[in-house]
Amino acid sequence: MGVAQLLHYFKWTWIGLFAVDDDNGEKFLQTVTPLLSQNGICFDFILRTPKRTDTNDLIEQLLSLLEKYPVLVNSTANAYFIYGLSTSMYTLRMLLGMAQQSSLPPLSKVWIVTSQWGFESVSLQRIWDTQIFHGAISFTVHSNQPPGFQNFLQIIKPSKAKGDGFIQDFWEQAFDCSFKHSDESEEIKKPCTGEEKLESLPGTLFEVSMTGQSYNVYNAVYAVAHVLNALDTFQFKSRALVQQREWKFQNLEPWQLHHFLRSVPFNNSAGDAVSFDERGELRAGFDVTNWITFPNNSFARVKVGRLDPHAVPGNALTLHEDRIVWPRSFNQVTHQSRSLNRYKN
């Protein structure tokens, strides 16, 4: 619904639609195509992108898909709406990279992407051009920056993460080095010192700001901590009431926490209110994010709006159009000057 409102806001009722060629993509199309049609939005084309699979099969699929590239270039649609997880977006980046290497015309469209998507990639992709996604708009899981997070990233080292194999594996991939010093290694890599700086990595490999998925984990941990604290306080008061009578608080099962979670709202250290609705879902919403890319393959996420699913109908989407950076060579129709920040039906 947020995408439908965004498309209406900019009067984009003629779009291209992309979905990964798997069960998730099929479910997405079955859900979104009737929804968009009911909102007066039509499709110039619907293109299924291959899922990440065996390298040989993937190359064949991409070459077949490349034959349809003229459809993308010649489309009169201004916006392309894409669905896919980060792993499946890998194939779309490969397709567009192959088109660029084949000297095919670039796409001057606005990419509208789902929240699962990002530029984060494996080391192999660090040289891939991100300019083709300049000006993209996505509905990303809401995030904020907890105090001290940047300092934590500056001091974290593999040597301090004892027993955490993930840190060491990530370190080797991100910095293209190895902690193994055996001469029998199949691939010769420079040795990892463990003193490399995370902030020196390009954003396509590691973002130094907390993303929405990580922010959800952060809030989940603190939500459980607040519930346990509330239960501990309740236990203390109950003991005081029974005075000399022997009383033991029953061991709480994990599933029993859900009932208490709904009634323990709190403000986290980043300044956001954290609470749950009647269905037990986090009242978070989405950030409307504008992706700005740079020639050195770095990028920035700029928040240009908010989608609040709990707002009254017609006021769910807030946009700050003056903050949006459009794709280069994109001819966006100039809108009438207005101070309207909210989309209204």
Side-chain angles (χ1 to χ4, degrees), residues 303-316:
K303 294 180 183 180
V304 296
R306 185 76 189 274
L307 179 67
D308 182 5
H310 302 281
V312 297
N315 288 329

Side-chain angles (χ1 to χ4, degrees), residues 160-220:
K160 296 182 179 180
K162 299 296 184 182
D164 188 347
F166 168 79
I167 293 292
Q168 181 168 310
D169 290 342
F170 164 77
W171 210 267
E172 290 182 326
Q173 287 197 28
F175 293 103
D176 196 24
C177 61
S178 176
F179 285 104
K180 301 174 183 177
H181 301 294
S182 173
D183 295 334
E184 300 177 359
S185 177
E186 295 181 2
E187 185 179 358
I188 300 176
K189 290 186 177 181
K190 64 181 180 182
C192 295
T193 66
E195 297 300 320
E196 293 85 0
K197 302 293 184 182
L198 290 175
E199 58 264 31
S200 69
L201 292 172
T204 51
L205 289 178
F206 184 77
E207 288 193 65
V208 294
S209 59
M210 184 173 284
T211 59
Q213 288 80 0
S214 297
Y215 191 61
N216 275 352
V217 174
Y218 167 81
N219 282 327

Side-chain angles (χ1 to χ4, degrees), residues 231-245:
L231 288 172
D232 187 62
T233 302
F234 172 76
Q235 178 183 1
F236 177 79
K237 290 182 178 179
S238 297
R239 285 173 175 168
L241 288 174
V242 298
Q243 296 179 353
Q244 301 300 323
R245 294 172 58 188

Side-chain angles (χ1 to χ4, degrees), residues 39-57:
N39 283 272
I41 297 165
C42 302
F43 316 106
D44 188 10
F45 62 84
I46 297 178
L47 193 65
R48 303 297 296 267
T49 59
K51 59 183 179 181
R52 192 171 179 178
T53 182
D54 178 77
T55 303
N56 292 332
D57 292 340

Side-chain angles (χ1 to χ4, degrees), residues 33-260:
T33 49
L35 173 65
L36 294 180
S37 295
Q38 291 165 12
N39 283 272
I41 297 165
C42 302
F43 316 106
D44 188 10
F45 62 84
I46 297 178
L47 193 65
R48 303 297 296 267
T49 59
K51 59 183 179 181
R52 192 171 179 178
T53 182
D54 178 77
T55 303
N56 292 332
D57 292 340
L58 180 59
I59 295 299
E60 290 183 6
Q61 294 178 51
L62 287 171
L63 289 174
S64 175
L65 200 58
L66 195 61
E67 296 177 359
K68 301 178 182 179
Y69 190 79
V71 174
L72 311 184
V73 175
N74 298 323
S75 172
T76 55
N78 279 330
Y80 288 167
F81 180 25
I82 317 168
Y83 170 80
L85 302 174
S86 293
T87 51
S88 59
M89 293 302 294
Y90 169 90
T91 62
L92 178 62
R93 291 185 66 189
M94 284 188 67
L95 170 65
L96 298 177
M98 290 171 64
Q100 189 177 49
Q101 292 176 3
S102 301
S103 300
L104 294 174
L107 299 179
S108 297
K109 310 291 181 179
V110 175
W111 299 91
I112 300 174
V113 296
T114 49
S115 63
Q116 300 94 329
W117 179 76
F119 282 137
E120 297 85 353
S121 54
V122 297
S123 56
L124 172 66
Q125 297 168 275
R126 70 173 73 213
I127 61 173
W128 287 11
D129 186 16
T130 58
Q131 296 289 289
I132 49 180
F133 294 109
H134 178 72
I137 296 175
S138 66
F139 287 81
T140 55
V141 177
H142 173 64
S143 64
N144 210 333
Q145 302 306 308
F149 182 66
Q150 298 293 326
N151 292 335
F152 168 75
L153 292 180
Q154 291 173 3
I155 64 173
I156 190 170
K157 302 292 180 186
S159 58
K160 296 182 179 180
K162 299 296 184 182
D164 188 347
F166 168 79
I167 293 292
Q168 181 168 310
D169 290 342
F170 164 77
W171 210 267
E172 290 182 326
Q173 287 197 28
F175 293 103
D176 196 24
C177 61
S178 176
F179 285 104
K180 301 174 183 177
H181 301 294
S182 173
D183 295 334
E184 300 177 359
S185 177
E186 295 181 2
E187 185 179 358
I188 300 176
K189 290 186 177 181
K190 64 181 180 182
C192 295
T193 66
E195 297 300 320
E196 293 85 0
K197 302 293 184 182
L198 290 175
E199 58 264 31
S200 69
L201 292 172
T204 51
L205 289 178
F206 184 77
E207 288 193 65
V208 294
S209 59
M210 184 173 284
T211 59
Q213 288 80 0
S214 297
Y215 191 61
N216 275 352
V217 174
Y218 167 81
N219 282 327
V221 171
Y222 273 91
V224 172
H226 276 274
V227 169
L228 293 176
N229 181 66
L231 288 172
D232 187 62
T233 302
F234 172 76
Q235 178 183 1
F236 177 79
K237 290 182 178 179
S238 297
R239 285 173 175 168
L241 288 174
V242 298
Q243 296 179 353
Q244 301 300 323
R245 294 172 58 188
E246 184 178 355
W247 185 86
K248 292 183 179 180
F249 193 75
Q250 294 181 349
N251 292 329
L252 195 71
E253 295 295 332
W255 60 266
Q256 293 175 293
L257 287 176
H258 295 173
H259 170 75
F260 293 95

Side-chain angles (χ1 to χ4, degrees), residues 255-272:
W255 60 266
Q256 293 175 293
L257 287 176
H258 295 173
H259 170 75
F260 293 95
L261 278 172
R262 299 182 183 183
S263 57
V264 186
F266 63 94
N267 291 331
N268 65 19
S269 61
D272 281 342

